[in-house]
Amino acid sequence: MKLFNMLRKSLRLLLLPLCLFASIANAQMIKGTVICDDGPLPGVTIYMEALNIGAATDLDGQFTLQTQTEGSQKLKISYIGYQDKIIDVNVKKGINDLGTITLVADDLMLGEVVVSGTMAPSQAKAYNVKKSSMTLLDVVASDAVGKLPDRNAAEAVQRIQGVAVARYHGEADQATVRGTPFAWTSTMFNGSRLPSSNVIGNRSSVLDAVPSELIQYVQVAKALTPDWEGDAIGGSVNFITRTAPMSRKLGASLAGGYNAFSENGTYNGSIVYGDRFFNDKLGVILVGAIWDRQWGSDSYDVKYNTASADPDNRNAINTVMLKRYMGKRKTYGVNLGLEYKFSNNHKVTFRGLYDKFHDIRPVYESYVDYEKSRYQYNYRYSHYQTKLTGGELGGEHQFSSMIGLDWTVSDYTSNYYLDTPSGSDRKGLPIATFRQSIKGGFNNLSSDGLRYWGFDSPNGIGGNPLDFEAGLNDPGEVMDADKLTLQQLVISQLDNKEHDRTFQFNLKIEPSSKLKFKMGGKYRTKSRDSYYGSNFVYIPGAALGIPGSPDLLTLSSLQRESFPMGHGYFTEMNGNHNQCILDPLTKDQLYQLYTPQSLQANGFGDYTSAANETNIYKADENVIAAYVMAEVELADHLRFVGGFRNEYTKTTLKGSQAVITKATDIRSATVKNNYNAFLPMAHLKYELSDKANLRFAYTRTFVRPNFGDMTPGQSTDQTANPIVITKGNQDLNPTFANNFDLMGEYYFDNVGLISGGFFYKDIQNMIFKDVSYSVENGQNYITTQSKNLKNARLFGFEAGINKRFDFLPGFWSGFGMEVNYTFIDSEVKVPRQVGSGDAMTTVYDESSLPDQSKHMANIIVFYEKDRLMVRLAGNYRGNSVNTINQQLGPDFYVWTDNNFTVDASATYNITKGVKAFVEMNNLLDEPLKQYMGDSRRLVNAEWYGVRGQIGIRWDLF
């Protein structure tokens, strides 16, 4: 409360002189909306040369310009790719509304480039917004997203310079800016951070539930101003949903496709309707989209002997698994936008959103277990559901020529859950585990009796990961449905739900076009329910040796269906793996195993750990934020934006702890973590010319600790030696960063751009997973807990160019290229204890930040002329640390290997309102790989094939 009162008093003191100054200023306002044939134009430059004052339009094409002068004036309106327009204005006292101003494409400048259906109008919007912005901002417009084969919100940002995405079974689902960990990038909808139902409890938002058709603009801010939420060390990605159009709009698209891996069809459709009613006071837009596809992948997984006490055999292989996914995904969403104008100075808006992602994944897992000399076969029927729902009500009010206010109240919920298996009162991911002994042993073991890859083996025996052979002494001892017996049934709870309610307001005071003030506040209350890691376990009595138990069920004795072959089984690897192809259970048979009647009849007992409850927690978080900022024209062509933002966070997590002795004692526990973030920010923008800008920014940003790292759950296993304590950390501090950016950009006349610059981040209190050892009263303890590191740093540079080759003759003038590259070098020092007893010391291992790639690039070759547009797009992401093994050191870090994917699209304008298109993804069939320490030591390799579709778009109005 003290902090709240302090903030309130500070704002009052700041507001008082501003309001007094505003009240005596003698300013007139000129306002209007700039459009083209396709709708509003953002980033249009409005300039009054006689008075040397200017402004720019917002994303809705609207602008305001302040002047102390009355009488006749000339306004020059400029936009890259469009003809300049001069307007005579008779400025009167108060607000002067110019209404709608229409610009015409400059065909002389662009030749045949700016035609309906090309990328040029989209890029013109993006570049004009970037050019006029006071911050480091990149923008993608909806029509640009639709011209590349990007089907969800994450894929929509992957082409932007400095942005990388995570791919999940072939589809992008998360985005990060400048290679920082995914949780360090703020994902927002319409200016407010999205709730996250991320399954592992971190704050990164999973975006595969949001169809790209629902997005009007994507803003990527790499250096923030105080009016943006401050918890974004990497940057912020702001998705702006569609708003009501200026006039009637009706369009639709329909496409059908094919997945080469699953050898099944896909389809995609969308519809957009917008109109205005009641003398244009009421605007409405309704967007619906669906993407239904069959998909599949082969995943090759290796587990190593890293827990061994002997360092010499930690690279030995424990298990090798061949995993087949063959499923169905459906993404659909609806976006409703309403706008009501009471007058030219007052309007209210509403945006509603309903997105749903069904991910149905029957999974077939075949293991060779070298440690226990057996086969294992898992079948699970995964039906994950992700739902994002909510809406927001807001208003914009211009009270006078100098004072404006906007406000928003929003309510959004993100939910990740499973409703399976039917027939059981417990819900989650059902997994049936079968095992079969290998009695004849293996013939490819090394001299120490363990299984290695050849490059790790003491005597060179072992082969290569992608040339895998089980190495059976008895070649006939293969996986057999008659010998695989049901050993375990598990229901894994993965449900997560976050619910955010937010209120925010922004007050703007503009005494003149050379001086602007802005201030505001935000209050957000968040609730989270998490069940991640909670498992229900059933084991048959016969597997435990209980006398009189029913015989173990064999795979062959249960109802099964044909194995889904698709394009073939692990055809990307050498060798014959057909012994791992087993007809799986039917879905109904799997569910039936979990019914009370089946469990009892087959002798299954409930062996769920009493400590299971400690994985469940509920979190509540309240955030109070306030900011003050000013934009000042310091000199001709030099502008400054500066101010501060303050965010106070109050977090409470309620759960339980377990102490395991002869019995398990469950105790309720509460964790509280409160902290304040004071965030000063400053930006300088110098206009070298009307085509070039130079920018400098200093910003302080932060990242809140993940809920999963603060969980109150604590398990103490006193039966282990040494005793193992696993706990959350209520004292975690947020991670802070001081960010420095120096960037420049130059705009070509023919809708092109060259840009580049440097950035540096000084990071404090980075969070990592710590494993520590201690001795108390002669007893050894191991404690695992998330903690803060002192410092880390990140340095990088980025450069990009988009150039059309219109200087070439004839046919060749339609070619062009877009290339961007980002280099990032980061360093964090991870403490590790070596030695034992009195000789134990601490060493510091150097590592890059998790999920941070040193090299990222996009290469796009395009052709645009007459009615045809063709694009070939390559996306490269270098290798990055995925998991830091703090206990064992860098040789046991898990890395994600470099990845280069190629996509393609083509559009042909049949008529003015009808377009045919073709889209292709993953043309090189690029696998996603992970490795441990050495790039040859695979941990995972996944192949998911090529997919594509062909369709048609109609724009009726």
Side-chain angles (χ1 to χ4, degrees):
M1 186 59 69
K2 273 186 174 181
L3 179 64
F4 181 77
N5 290 332
M6 181 181 71
L7 288 172
R8 186 175 58 184
K9 290 178 182 178
S10 299
L11 282 173
R12 187 181 297 166
L13 290 172
L14 286 165
L15 282 170
L16 182 59
L18 297 180
C19 291
L20 289 174
F21 178 63
S23 67
I24 62 175
N26 182 28
Q28 282 66 244
M29 173 186 284
I30 302 170
K31 62 181 295 188
T33 303
V34 184
I35 67 170
C36 67
D37 289 342
D38 294 326
L41 290 174
V44 178
T45 299
I46 314 296
Y47 185 61
M48 191 177 289
E49 187 172 4
L51 301 177
N52 192 26
I53 58 176
T57 59
D58 61 17
L59 294 181
D60 294 323
Q62 300 175 0
F63 71 90
T64 60
L65 182 66
Q66 299 288 344
T67 176
Q68 277 75 41
T69 303
E70 298 180 43
S72 180
Q73 300 291 337
K74 290 185 180 295
L75 282 184
K76 182 180 180 181
I77 302 173
S78 304
Y79 198 68
I80 296 174
Y82 288 75
Q83 297 176 13
D84 290 348
K85 191 163 191 172
I86 306 295
I87 295 180
D88 292 318
V89 181
N90 185 20
V91 181
K92 300 177 181 179
K93 285 186 177 180
I95 299 173
N96 298 260
D97 192 346
L98 303 184
T100 300
I101 303 166
T102 302
L103 295 187
V104 178
D106 191 343
D107 293 333
L108 293 177
M109 178 189 300
L110 299 176
E112 299 176 77
V113 172
V114 179
V115 292
S116 178
T118 74
M119 286 289 292
S122 318
Q123 289 169 337
K125 291 178 184 178
Y127 291 165
N128 278 284
V129 173
K130 179 181 179 71
K131 181 172 178 286
S132 62
S133 172
M134 276 301 301
T135 187
L136 301 180
L137 190 71
D138 288 295
V139 177
V140 179
S142 59
D143 43 358
V145 174
K147 291 178 174 65
L148 284 169
D150 302 327
R151 291 281 130 225
N152 66 42
E155 293 182 341
V157 299
Q158 66 179 322
R159 319 291 176 184
I160 294 177
Q161 183 172 296
V163 177
V165 296
R167 299 188 186 279
Y168 188 63
H169 301 312
E171 296 177 16
D173 67 343
Q174 297 181 81
T176 180
V177 178
R178 287 180 169 168
T180 56
F182 288 97
W184 290 15
T185 292
S186 173
T187 304
M188 301 192 295
F189 258 39
N190 304 319
S192 286
R193 184 154 186 169
L194 273 176
S196 170
S197 55
N198 189 293
V199 68
I200 60 175
N202 67 31
R203 295 178 181 269
S204 60
S205 298
V206 178
L207 298 169
D208 47 13
V210 183
S212 57
E213 290 92 341
L214 273 59
I215 306 301
Q216 181 164 325
Y217 287 103
V218 184
Q219 298 174 312
V220 177
K222 298 172 182 175
L224 308 183
T225 49
D227 52 343
W228 286 64
E229 292 200 30
D231 56 338
I233 290 178
S236 288
V237 180
N238 185 28
F239 295 96
I240 299 174
T241 55
R242 291 181 181 262
T243 55
M246 301 292 296
S247 58
R248 180 176 297 175
K249 179 179 180 63
L250 178 61
S253 70
L254 184 64
Y258 184 75
N259 186 299
F261 188 99
S262 67
E263 297 187 342
N264 281 303
T266 68
Y267 74 87
N268 170 241
S270 66
I271 186 168
V272 179
Y273 171 73
D275 208 346
R276 303 199 76 88
F277 305 93
F278 307 119
N279 295 322
D280 291 339
K281 288 183 176 293
L282 175 64
V284 178
I285 191 163
L286 182 65
V287 185
I290 186 169
W291 180 26
D292 194 314
R293 64 274 192 201
Q294 303 283 341
W295 70 282
S297 73
D298 281 335
S299 179
Y300 176 68
D301 295 76
V302 185
K303 293 290 188 297
Y304 296 91
N305 195 31
T306 53
S308 173
D310 185 351
D312 292 334
N313 59 39
R314 287 175 180 160
N315 288 330
I317 300 168
N318 274 357
T319 62
V320 173
M321 176 177 63
L322 279 70
K323 181 190 297 186
R324 161 60 59 95
Y325 295 92
M326 193 69 77
K328 179 183 177 69
R329 287 174 168 172
K330 181 185 289 187
T331 306
Y332 55 89
V334 178
N335 171 213
L336 172 66
L338 301 173
E339 174 188 275
Y340 189 83
K341 290 186 177 181
F342 295 95
S343 67
N344 288 335
N345 298 322
H346 299 279
K347 72 175 181 180
V348 293
T349 59
F350 172 80
R351 286 169 166 152
L353 187 72
Y354 182 92
D355 292 329
K356 187 75 179 287
F357 176 40
H358 290 272
D359 191 359
I360 300 173
R361 272 187 269 153
V363 184
Y364 320 91
E365 301 175 343
S366 298
Y367 292 80
V368 179
D369 188 333
Y370 290 96
E371 183 183 22
K372 296 183 172 62
S373 192
R374 67 188 182 190
Y375 293 118
Q376 179 170 310
Y377 177 75
N378 291 345
Y379 174 70
R380 49 190 169 101
Y381 189 87
S382 317
H383 184 178
Y384 304 104
Q385 299 182 64
T386 306
K387 184 166 63 174
L388 177 63
T389 58
E392 56 192 59
L393 179 67
E396 297 179 22
H397 309 279
Q398 192 69 44
F399 295 111
S400 71
S401 61
M402 294 170 293
I403 300 176
L405 173 73
D406 64 78
W407 55 272
T408 305
V409 179
S410 63
D411 189 312
Y412 283 101
T413 300
S414 180
N415 196 358
Y416 178 93
Y417 62 98
L418 299 98
D419 279 335
T420 54
S422 59
S424 172
D425 57 353
R426 293 173 167 178
K427 300 299 179 183
L429 171 61
I431 308 171
T433 298
F434 298 81
R435 296 190 181 107
Q436 171 189 341
S437 295
I438 299 176
K439 298 178 181 178
F442 303 97
N443 61 24
N444 55 1
L445 305 182
S446 297
S447 54
D448 60 1
L450 300 176
R451 172 78 155 104
Y452 295 86
W453 302 127
F455 53 83
D456 281 328
S457 173
N459 57 352
I461 295 176
N464 298 310
L466 294 181
D467 193 6
F468 172 70
E469 294 290 346
L472 301 170
N473 278 328
D474 178 1
E477 195 175 8
V478 296
M479 298 185 77
D480 189 335
D482 292 328
K483 297 177 181 178
L484 283 162
T485 56
L486 183 59
Q487 301 278 327
Q488 182 176 266
L489 293 170
V490 170
I491 298 177
S492 181
Q493 289 189 287
L494 303 173
D495 289 13
N496 284 275
K497 180 180 180 181
E498 269 194 15
H499 183 193
D500 283 7
R501 296 185 180 94
T502 304
F503 169 73
Q504 61 181 332
F505 72 94
N506 301 286
L507 177 65
K508 302 174 186 177
I509 301 175
E510 299 186 22
S512 74
S513 291
K514 298 180 183 292
L515 179 63
K516 301 177 183 179
F517 296 100
K518 189 176 181 182
M519 59 210 68
K522 176 175 285 189
Y523 175 75
R524 179 174 64 238
T525 177
K526 178 191 294 289
S527 62
R528 179 181 179 90
D529 295 289
S530 177
Y531 291 85
Y532 174 71
S534 173
N535 295 316
F536 302 112
V537 180
Y538 305 93
I539 301 176
L544 299 173
I546 299 176
S549 298
D551 292 339
L552 294 173
L553 295 171
T554 62
L555 178 60
S556 62
S557 68
L558 300 170
Q559 184 179 356
R560 298 190 291 162
E561 60 187 9
S562 298
F563 184 85
M565 282 301 295
H567 81 314
Y569 188 71
F570 281 88
T571 56
E572 297 81 3
M573 291 174 55
N574 295 323
N576 186 335
H577 310 292
N578 290 341
Q579 73 139 330
C580 296
I581 300 174
L582 297 166
D583 288 344
L585 302 177
T586 65
K587 177 184 71 172
D588 291 339
Q589 174 67 88
L590 177 68
Y591 289 174
Q592 193 273 333
L593 292 172
Y594 289 90
T595 62
Q597 298 84 356
S598 177
L599 291 171
Q600 182 178 7
N602 293 294
F604 280 82
D606 187 347
Y607 289 88
T608 302
S609 170
N612 193 48
E613 195 175 323
T614 63
N615 294 297
I616 301 170
Y617 67 86
K618 179 178 177 61
D620 293 293
E621 184 175 85
N622 297 318
V623 175
I624 300 174
Y627 75 90
V628 176
M629 60 183 284
E631 180 179 339
V632 185
E633 184 174 323
L634 300 176
D636 286 350
H637 310 297
L638 178 63
R639 299 189 76 87
F640 167 81
V641 168
F644 70 85
R645 184 180 185 90
N646 199 91
E647 299 200 18
Y648 179 73
T649 305
K650 182 177 181 180
T651 306
T652 302
L653 293 92
K654 295 181 179 179
S656 56
Q657 298 175 342
V659 177
I660 304 172
T661 54
K662 292 182 179 179
T664 301
D665 181 19
I666 304 296
R667 304 169 185 173
S668 61
T670 299
V671 166
K672 294 186 177 181
N673 193 341
N674 306 329
Y675 45 88
N676 190 66
F678 180 74
L679 310 171
M681 303 178 189
H683 295 253
L684 280 171
K685 175 184 175 183
Y686 183 69
E687 296 179 4
L688 298 168
S689 70
D690 61 350
K691 297 179 183 178
N693 292 321
L694 184 64
R695 305 172 185 269
F696 170 78
Y698 162 73
T699 58
R700 184 166 173 81
T701 53
F702 79 113
V703 172
R704 296 181 173 90
N706 293 323
F707 292 110
D709 294 331
M710 296 185 293
T711 173
Q714 175 177 313
S715 298
T716 304
D717 188 354
Q718 294 184 345
T719 64
N721 186 19
I723 292 174
V724 178
I725 301 171
T726 304
K727 60 182 179 181
N729 186 353
Q730 69 184 54
D731 298 319
L732 277 180
N733 294 314
T735 301
F736 283 89
N738 292 310
N739 313 288
F740 301 87
D741 294 86
L742 178 63
M743 307 294 291
E745 66 219 32
Y746 178 83
Y747 298 88
F748 301 118
D749 287 334
N750 61 345
V751 191
L753 169 70
I754 183 170
S755 65
F758 300 87
F759 52 90
Y760 177 81
K761 297 179 183 293
D762 178 43
I763 303 165
Q764 305 92 39
N765 290 329
M766 177 184 161
I767 297 171
F768 79 110
K769 190 75 71 177
D770 177 57
V771 179
S772 60
Y773 305 83
S774 61
V775 180
E776 296 180 18
N777 300 322
Q779 176 64 58
N780 293 325
Y781 291 87
I782 296 177
T783 301
T784 301
Q785 186 180 45
S786 290
K787 293 183 178 179
N788 291 107
L789 287 173
K790 289 185 178 179
N791 296 301
R793 59 98 182 149
L794 182 149
F795 166 79
F797 68 85
E798 61 183 53
I801 184 170
N802 184 338
K803 180 65 177 173
R804 300 171 185 276
F805 303 152
D806 55 352
F807 53 85
L808 296 175
F811 167 82
W812 303 101
S813 64
F815 281 99
M817 179 175 288
E818 183 175 350
V819 180
N820 61 66
Y821 169 74
T822 303
F823 170 85
I824 305 169
D825 182 65
S826 66
E827 180 182 271
V828 59
K829 293 184 178 180
V830 182
R832 177 165 56 95
Q833 292 177 317
V834 297
S836 59
D838 294 337
M840 183 176 290
T841 59
T842 300
V843 298
Y844 289 87
D845 298 317
E846 291 186 359
S847 171
S848 57
L849 292 172
D851 298 319
Q852 178 255 302
S853 299
K854 182 166 284 190
H855 306 282
M856 297 188 298
N858 285 288
I859 303 171
I860 300 176
V861 179
F862 58 85
Y863 182 83
E864 297 178 359
K865 195 172 180 66
D866 299 326
R867 299 182 178 187
L868 178 66
M869 181 198 73
V870 181
R871 300 180 76 79
L872 185 68
N875 181 271
Y876 176 81
R877 183 184 179 195
N879 62 346
S880 61
V881 172
N882 181 263
T883 303
I884 292 176
N885 191 321
Q886 182 265 342
Q887 184 177 14
L888 298 182
D891 288 342
F892 297 91
Y893 290 4
V894 175
W895 293 72
T896 298
D897 207 352
N898 54 62
N899 183 264
F900 181 66
T901 58
V902 176
D903 306 319
S905 65
T907 300
Y908 182 78
N909 292 354
I910 301 171
T911 66
K912 183 179 179 180
V914 181
K915 305 176 182 69
F917 64 90
V918 178
E919 299 176 346
M920 298 291 293
N921 290 88
N922 196 29
L923 288 173
L924 300 181
D925 195 12
E926 178 80 352
L928 188 65
K929 296 181 180 179
Q930 292 183 319
Y931 59 88
M932 186 178 73
D934 188 315
S935 61
R936 296 172 297 173
R937 193 178 300 115
L938 282 182
V939 170
N940 170 263
E942 183 179 35
W943 300 266
Y944 43 84
V946 181
R947 71 173 190 265
Q949 64 177 6
I950 184 169
I952 193 165
R953 294 189 184 96
W954 300 271
D955 291 317
L956 279 72
F957 306 107

